[in-house]
Each structure stands twice: as C-alpha cells, then as structure tokens.
Amino acid sequence: CLSTRVITNRAIGGGAMAMWASSATSMPRVATRVRARIGGAGSTGRVVLRPRRRAVPRAAPVTTSTTPPPFVDFDTTGCGPFPLLDPTRGYTHVSPGVCDTCADSAEARRAWVELLLGQLPSHRANAERTAKFLGDECPPDYTERYRAWEGDYEEYLAEVSKDGVPKGAGATLLDMVDEKERLLRRRGLDDMFAGLKAAENAIASVLFHSVASEIDGIWSPARTIDGDTRDRKGDRKGDDATAKAAMIRAVIECCLAGNLFDAGAAAAVQGVQVGDFCEPCVVEPDSRTMSEEEAGRYRLDADQLAEVFARARRRVSREECPGGWRFDSFSDVVSRCRDLNAENRAAGWRRVVVFCDNAGADVMGMVVLARALAAVGGEDTKVALVANTHAALNDVTHAELLGFLSTVSSSGGDGDAGDPILAAQMERGRVIAVPSGQFSTLLDLNRAGAELNAWVEEELRSVPAGEDWLVVFDGMGRGLESNWNPAPYLKDGVNALNLAMVKSEINAKRLGAEVYDCVVKLSVGGSK
C-alpha cells in the first residue's frame, strides 16, 4: 500500500535502457541511446521535502454535474479460500496489532484513520495527474467526482472512528481500505493512480535490463534456455554455491530497493541526494517559479535512474546493516536456493506464488525474483506472479503486470532487445501472470480469485502441498499489515516469505522496528 507520497508527471517516453556495472556500489556513467524523462518539455516530475506532521486540508462538499456509472460492489464470483491454506486452521488475514486491534479499539481505529487521511493530498494530486494522463478519455467532471469522493471517505472514516462500538465489531483496516475502493467506484473513479503507475512502470522498464544483466554476471541462469548445466563462474560446486548465494542476495536487495524506490523516481533522486528518504511535499511547485538549475534536479535520464536505484540498493544492503536486516532469514533462503533437496532434485522451490505489491520498481523486483527462482529451480519450476484484478492505490494490476512483462521480455522495433531468459521462461509457462481476484491494498486469502485458485489446484496434482511450495508476500499491505504470520494457517511444509520494507511509523512501532528496516522473513506452514 502507499505509505510515502510523490507527485510525478505523465509516463516517461521512450524505451531507454541503462546498462550499469555489476556492483551496486560502483556506478560509472553509461551511454544510452534514448533519454528517459519524467514529463514533457518544460514540465518535470517535481517534489520538495516537508515535515511529516502537517495539517491535512479537507475537501469541501461537492455535487457532481454528471451521474457516474452505477456500482454496487466488486464481483467476487468464484473467489474462495486459497488452496494452500489448511481449512482446519481458521485462516485470518490479520497481522497481530492491525485488524484485530482495530476491531476492538476506537483508539486503534483512529490511529489508522489518521494515516489514511494523511494520504488524501497525495490522492488529490494523483487524481489531477491521472486526469491529464487520460486526456480526451477523461470525464469532464473528473475533478469534481474526486472531490466528492473525498467528502464521502472522510464521512465514512469519521463514522468508524466513533466510540461506543462493541469489542470485536469495529471496522478493521481491511474494511477501511476496501470501502475506499468501493466509494471511488461509486463516483466513477476506477484508477486515480493510473498516471503515476504508467510513469513508474516506464521507469522500471528502463532499469530492468541493467538489473538482469548484473544478476546474470553474478550467477547465470542461461543454462535454463539451452540445457547447458555448466555455470559461467566455473564448474566447481563450491564456486557455484558461492556465486548463487551472491546472486540471491543481489536479487533480494533489488526487491527491497524497489520497495523503497516505489516512493517515486523523482523523490528517490532528491531523497538519496540529501541522505534522507523523506516524504515528498503534497503541493507541487509551479515550474514557472523554478530556475533552470532547480528544474534540472527533477529530470532523470537512464544513467541517473540506474545510479539512483544503486543508491537505494546501498540503503538496503545487508552488508550495511549491522547484524543483518531487522527480520533476517537470508541464510535460510540461500541454503534452500543453493542446495539440492532431499530427493536430489534441483535447488529452490518447484512451485512459487508471488503476491505483487506496487507498480514500478517494486514489481520490477518481483519479476527479477521470479526470473531468478525459475532459473535456480530448473525446468520443473513454475512461478506465478499474482497481481490485483482491480486497481487499488498504486498497486500494480494484472493488466499492468502483463504489459510490463511484455515490454521487458519482447524485442522492440527500434532495436531494443528483450530479455531472452525471461522470454524463454514465459514461453514455456515457467513464469506466468495470474490475477488475484482482489481489489484491496491488503490481501485476504479467503477471497482468492477463481483463476488463481484453479492454477494452484492444477499444480497441486503434480506437486503436492509441502516444502516444494513457496508463497511470497511482497510489501507492507500484503506482508506486514496483513499476513505477517501466515505459517500457522498454511498446509504443513509450505514455505512463506515476507519481503518488505517498513515504511510507516505505525507499522514500525507495532513490529518493534524502525522506519526503513527491512523484512526478509521465511516461515514454514504448520509452525507457530
């Protein structure tokens, strides 16, 4: 879910790809054929830093001039419990200290309401940006509809904040974010972050190939294409194991950096440069008042994107964290990816389900992870990248995920080469995209989509539930604010990997962590 806010302009143009060095700590300048810009001529993505605590302006009541399409509720026909859940264990999406305490305590509800109200200025800015992004397809009263929605949601949040609700009957965080999406649709607003997501996905497509190239330089999965089982780093088992461990660490660091970088490329540039990943200002400065030097700070080309992402990686590097990450199962993940299993099959997991979070660099990290896990596991491994069916904040949708996969795996008409490894994995059905059936920034596995459940059920015929299965919960919404401790509810032996960065104070306090602490937490189904 969106915890740090950014204002960026429309999708960047071009298919520029930055080639970067094989180390995140060494970043020479790299020639690129096409420069990638945020925004158009005379307009850039801009942010300025502000203090975290500032009064949030409220929207005035608005009556829209047109009637939006009728909306009753999201169609959840065919949705049901995720097949890897043990039906006897009473799964709940609850992460301790989130929805359970909201249901019990008005004070807890008010704390989350404050966070949700604090997102409204970001929503407002992105609604305006999406209106520009939609162009001629934008309804003439789009802004009025948005302002009316703000009033609707503020009224709802005020109601759920009241005292006097019986214990256990209060609105949960899941209720609050679900109702946000319902109210948006009732005002005819399907995806107010469409413009931001398009820009972030374009940025991520610039970065993907240089990231994949670096990963291959550490340990090459090329053998999964041509059947050659030799590794570029040598034939000795020890060398291969060391290289593979380094590769897995690089992949995980890319995932964590993507979770940080998703605050927006322009914000990341400024945040990294000043040494503090702060919240961006919700008020966009007027470009007419900016000097050429100031405006230049917010322009990104492919070289700069690669450099900024490398800085984000250094920010989350395990080596830079004394004693490792705050929640650290890295050695267990590496051991599983490096060693043959008990049946002497290839290392890794045979079936993987990755629940994706945000668009942009975050989903890029998940694609890099899927690509690596498919390579480590060999020809018998299948990885399903799962994204929301319906838009929710800046979370990537299934349709957007399909577009991103197509962009980075296909060769372009201007000579840009797609990624051959990912393309081969997708062609053979070893990396696929599946809709989750969800419309929320949180994840409730009791209402998994029919297509996802059908895929899992089909794969369970050849790979029974157990240690050969891995479920990845990416980001705060899916892995911290929900499903923080999924192991007790999963079938015995099924592995779960929570992979996220703590990006809000309310979550940090609940977990006994600090903002920007990293989570790499592997657990096993059936354990407490």
Side-chain angles (χ1 to χ4, degrees), residues 392-475:
L393 292 189
N394 64 330
D395 289 357
V396 69
T397 64
H398 173 63
E400 291 162 345
L401 174 60
L402 286 173
F404 183 81
L405 288 169
S406 176
T407 297
V408 299
S409 64
S410 304
S411 298
D414 59 357
D416 290 334
D419 179 55
I421 293 173
L422 179 62
Q425 291 170 340
M426 292 171 59
E427 183 179 355
R428 297 179 184 183
R430 298 182 54 225
V431 172
I432 65 169
V434 183
S436 68
Q438 308 263 333
F439 58 89
S440 177
T441 53
L442 273 62
L443 175 63
D444 184 354
L445 292 177
N446 272 328
R447 59 188 195 194
E451 190 171 339
L452 170 61
N453 286 349
W455 183 83
V456 174
E457 292 281 10
E458 179 62 29
E459 297 306 320
L460 285 170
R461 298 176 183 273
S462 54
V463 182
E467 64 176 11
D468 284 332
W469 281 84
L470 172 68
V471 182
V472 179
F473 299 95
D474 174 39

Side-chain angles (χ1 to χ4, degrees), residues 328-382:
D328 196 339
S329 298
F330 174 69
S331 60
D332 295 330
V333 175
V334 166
S335 177
R336 184 61 190 261
C337 291
R338 187 178 56 192
D339 303 327
L340 296 177
N341 60 26
E343 287 76 30
N344 205 36
R345 290 193 299 268
W349 295 269
R350 297 175 65 194
R351 296 294 181 271
V352 183
V353 178
V354 179
F355 287 103
C356 300
D357 189 31
N358 300 136
D362 199 351
V363 76
M364 178 195 74
M366 292 303 103
V367 173
V368 170
L369 177 66
R371 180 183 185 271
L373 292 178
V376 165
E379 289 293 334
D380 191 37
T381 297
K382 294 182 181 180

Side-chain angles (χ1 to χ4, degrees), residues 257 260-261 272 277 307-317:
L260 170 62
F261 198 69
V272 176
F277 287 88
E307 182 179 356
V308 169
F309 191 71
R311 290 176 183 175
R313 283 184 57 188
R314 290 198 293 273
R315 178 69 171 78
V316 303
S317 171

Side-chain angles (χ1 to χ4, degrees), residues 7-304:
I7 301 174
T8 47
N9 275 350
R10 69 180 185 274
I12 63 174
M17 290 180 269
M19 302 299 293
W20 97 42
S22 61
S23 170
T25 60
S26 176
M27 209 55 202
R29 298 285 293 175
V30 184
T32 55
R33 295 186 301 103
V34 182
R35 292 176 68 82
R37 298 273 188 204
I38 296 181
S43 175
T44 62
R46 300 178 294 279
V47 294
V48 293
L49 303 180
R50 67 166 175 85
R52 289 185 181 278
R53 290 179 174 82
R54 190 176 74 173
V56 177
R58 296 289 186 259
V62 174
T63 302
T64 58
S65 59
T66 61
T67 303
F71 176 84
V72 178
D73 205 346
F74 291 97
D75 183 6
T76 57
T77 303
C79 292
F82 188 53
L84 293 177
L85 294 173
D86 187 320
T88 69
R89 292 174 177 165
Y91 164 81
T92 170
H93 75 281
V94 165
S95 289
V98 184
C99 285
D100 50 352
T101 53
C102 284
D104 293 341
S105 164
E107 182 179 358
R109 290 194 294 277
R110 285 191 285 267
W112 284 101
V113 164
E114 182 180 356
L115 183 146
L116 293 169
L117 287 173
Q119 294 178 342
L120 291 182
S122 165
H123 296 354
R124 195 175 307 147
N126 279 291
E128 293 172 357
R129 179 141 290 102
T130 293
K132 296 176 184 177
F133 175 77
L134 293 175
D136 294 340
E137 297 179 6
C138 183
D141 63 342
Y142 188 92
T143 301
E144 287 75 17
R145 289 187 190 184
Y146 170 80
R147 291 173 59 202
W149 167 80
E150 265 200 22
D152 296 342
Y153 195 47
E154 287 172 348
E155 182 179 350
Y156 166 78
L157 292 177
E159 185 66 26
V160 303
S161 299
K162 292 179 178 178
D163 294 309
V165 178
K167 185 176 181 179
T172 68
L173 180 60
L174 181 66
D175 294 331
M176 296 179 206
V177 298
D178 281 2
E179 189 64 14
K180 172 189 286 188
E181 300 303 326
R182 292 190 183 97
L183 291 173
L184 281 167
R185 269 62 177 195
R186 286 167 192 162
R187 290 293 182 180
L189 302 170
D190 290 337
D191 188 356
M192 64 180 172
F193 279 77
L196 174 65
K197 290 187 293 179
E200 294 290 300
N201 284 339
I203 289 171
S205 70
V206 172
L207 292 172
F208 176 84
H209 297 282
S210 55
V211 172
S213 178
E214 178 196 347
I215 297 303
D216 292 347
I218 300 171
W219 180 85
S220 172
R223 60 197 174 113
T224 61
I225 296 179
D226 57 20
D228 184 0
T229 58
R230 294 173 297 175
D231 186 85
R232 291 182 189 173
K233 293 294 182 180
D235 294 327
R236 291 181 299 173
K237 182 177 180 180
D239 288 347
D240 182 77
T242 300
K244 194 179 292 184
M247 183 272 291
I248 292 298
R249 187 184 72 183
V251 167
I252 291 177
E253 289 176 351
C254 284
C255 293
L256 296 172
N259 211 232
L260 170 62
F261 198 69
D262 76 354
V269 168
Q270 190 175 36
V272 176
Q273 287 177 343
V274 300
D276 180 19
F277 287 88
C278 300
E279 292 182 6
C281 180
V282 298
V283 180
E284 183 176 5
D286 188 341
S287 61
R288 294 171 296 180
T289 67
M290 299 174 69
S291 68
E292 275 299 315
E293 181 180 356
E294 289 174 326
R297 294 175 61 196
Y298 300 100
R299 294 195 182 101
L300 298 176
D301 65 14
D303 289 341
Q304 290 172 317

